[in-house]
Each structure stands twice: as structure tokens, then as C-alpha cells.
Amino acid sequence: DVKVTQSSRYLVKRTGEKVFLECVQDMDHENMFWYRQDPGLGLRLIYFSYDVKMKEKGDIPEGYSVSREKKERFSLILESASTNQTSMYLCASSLTSAAGELFFGEGSRLTVL
Amino acid sequence: AQSVTQPDIHITVSEGASLELRCNYSYGATPYLFWYVQSPGQGLQLLLKYFSGDTLVQGIKGFEAEFKRSQSSFNLRKPSVHWSDAAEYFCAVGDNFNKFYFGSGTKLNVKP
């Protein structure tokens, strides 16, 4: 079974702190994604990566950056956390075949005070 | 632009009753369509997917969905709902560039 692991299930940070959310997948998938989930808004794509060191902006990249130094690991970085970044963050991975299905981690719930 | 609409934010059904969750999409080409389920505090799990072929697709947990091109719809159905089906359900469209577009979700409550 594909496993996508997010390092932190729950985080509480203060405004202005730098936040790292880590995601690791164990099935050699080329593509990795970071989504943000808010009630009533569904999932919104922040960034995705289709190869090591490659990244593309999604629909809401402002205030976020990403890093993919190894194929299995995709990190989301909040350089200076703000209260409006309080949310559930979901990592996912997929194969490159056309619209290969997404496999999700369990999510990281971030609260910024 | 691609988009997915789930018109029902909340649905409540009695245990044992049938269920239909609606999904409409906007996409210029043949879509790749998905339904995912999210239990409280968890990530999303794939229920079923449509890529091509038979427009009625079967998924896990007794769910099925029907692709209707003329209506741009991909509605999810289950003939008899169980209490464990209470969750949030998301419809999604995938494109040829490995991007996915999600609806806003439908929360299902199941009455005993």
C-alpha cells in the first residue's frame, strides 16, 4: 500500500514564526502536492512538484514556499506564519500517468496564534 | 477554466436509505473523475474513479457513480447507507497535466 506520511498531525505556532510541514511518500511517485483545506472551500492547491527540485505554483501560493530535495520528500514552508494560515494542510502524491489518482496523508492541522 | 460543483453542503439520510450525492464539473476535454471520502480528522481516501469506458463505475464500500457527459455530472450513489458512511465526500476532476480540481465537499450525516 502507498503510504504518505505527514510528520506532524497538530501544530500550534505564533504569528511570525517559520513553520515547516514535512511529507514523505514511500511508493516512488513522481508527483507530490500540498493542499489547504478549509470548511466550505474544499481543497485548494498550494504547490505541486513533478520531479526533484521542480515545483509549480498552485492556486494559492502566496505566503508559502516548498522544497523537494529528494523524490520521496516534499516540504511546505511558511516563512512568517499568519493567523489566516490556520488551516488543515494535506499532502498527496501520484504517478505521472495521466491523472493518476492522488494518495493522501492524514493531514496536519496548523493553528497560528 | 476547470471547476467542480457539489451543490449540497450537508445531507442527512436515515440508515438503510438510499443516497445520491451530486457533482457537476466544467472541463473542456474528456475528464478524469474521482470521488474521495474523508472521515473526521483523516486524509482523503479514494472511493472510485472514471477514466473511460463503462459510464457506471463501482467503487469500494458499496458505492457507485455514473458519468453523464450530456449533463456534465458524476453523481455518487449507494443503495443502502450504513452509519459508518457518515463522512465528508469530495468530487474531483483530473486533467492531462496531473492537476486535480476539487469540489467544496458534501457532509453526510446518517440518522439511526
Side-chain angles (χ1 to χ4, degrees):
Chain A
D1 281 353
V2 175
K3 191 164 180 65
V4 179
T5 303
Q6 295 182 229
S7 56
S8 303
R9 291 295 306 276
Y10 301 94
L11 304 94
V12 179
K13 299 292 182 181
R14 298 210 174 271
T15 301
E17 281 192 79
K18 190 169 186 175
V19 182
F20 292 88
L21 299 180
E22 305 284 342
C23 176
V24 177
Q25 51 95 3
D26 66 358
M27 281 301 291
D28 204 35
H29 283 175
E30 297 90 350
N31 304 318
M32 296 190 74
F33 305 79
W34 276 105
Y35 286 91
R36 172 175 171 160
Q37 182 180 15
D38 299 288
L41 297 178
L43 279 70
R44 293 179 291 168
L45 182 63
I46 305 172
Y47 269 96
F48 69 101
S49 169
Y50 52 88
D51 201 351
V52 175
K53 297 190 185 296
M54 305 301 287
K55 61 185 179 184
E56 286 200 23
K57 293 180 180 179
D59 300 317
I60 53 164
E62 297 79 17
Y64 304 94
S65 62
V66 290
S67 172
R68 193 166 181 200
E69 297 295 319
K70 293 184 177 182
K71 190 174 185 179
E72 68 271 19
R73 187 178 298 270
F74 192 36
S75 301
L76 180 69
I77 303 156
L78 288 66
E79 292 289 343
S80 178
S82 63
T83 55
N84 62 13
Q85 292 179 308
T86 292
S87 187
M88 170 71 91
Y89 291 88
L90 292 168
C91 175
S93 70
S94 73
L95 288 169
T96 294
S97 60
E101 68 185 78
L102 289 170
F103 293 85
F104 283 88
E106 292 191 324
S108 298
R109 183 166 293 282
L110 171 66
T111 300
V112 182
L113 302 175
Chain B
Q2 296 85 342
S3 66
V4 179
T5 302
Q6 293 180 245
D8 303 306
I9 299 173
H10 288 97
I11 282 186
T12 298
V13 299
S14 298
E15 191 168 16
S18 64
L19 171 70
E20 183 168 25
L21 302 183
R22 296 183 289 165
C23 172
N24 292 98
Y25 65 88
S26 172
Y27 187 66
T30 300
Y32 303 99
L33 296 162
F34 306 82
W35 274 99
Y36 286 85
V37 61
Q38 185 181 35
S39 298
Q42 302 296 316
L44 277 70
Q45 179 186 19
L46 182 71
L47 280 176
L48 47 77
K49 60 187 177 185
Y50 171 80
F51 282 6
S52 64
D54 193 348
T55 57
L56 184 65
V57 293
Q58 303 297 321
I60 63 171
K61 305 184 182 186
F63 285 92
E64 66 177 27
E66 186 171 12
F67 169 54
K68 293 186 178 180
R69 185 187 301 274
S70 61
Q71 298 177 20
S72 298
S73 69
F74 188 56
N75 293 350
L76 182 71
R77 301 194 294 247
K78 187 170 184 178
S80 178
V81 169
H82 187 263
W83 63 266
S84 61
D85 293 324
E88 190 161 17
Y89 293 80
F90 292 92
C91 181
V93 169
D95 68 14
N96 288 325
F97 303 98
N98 293 292
K99 289 188 73 174
F100 298 80
Y101 305 88
F102 285 83
S104 55
T106 298
K107 281 191 177 175
L108 172 65
N109 294 320
V110 180
K111 289 191 302 185

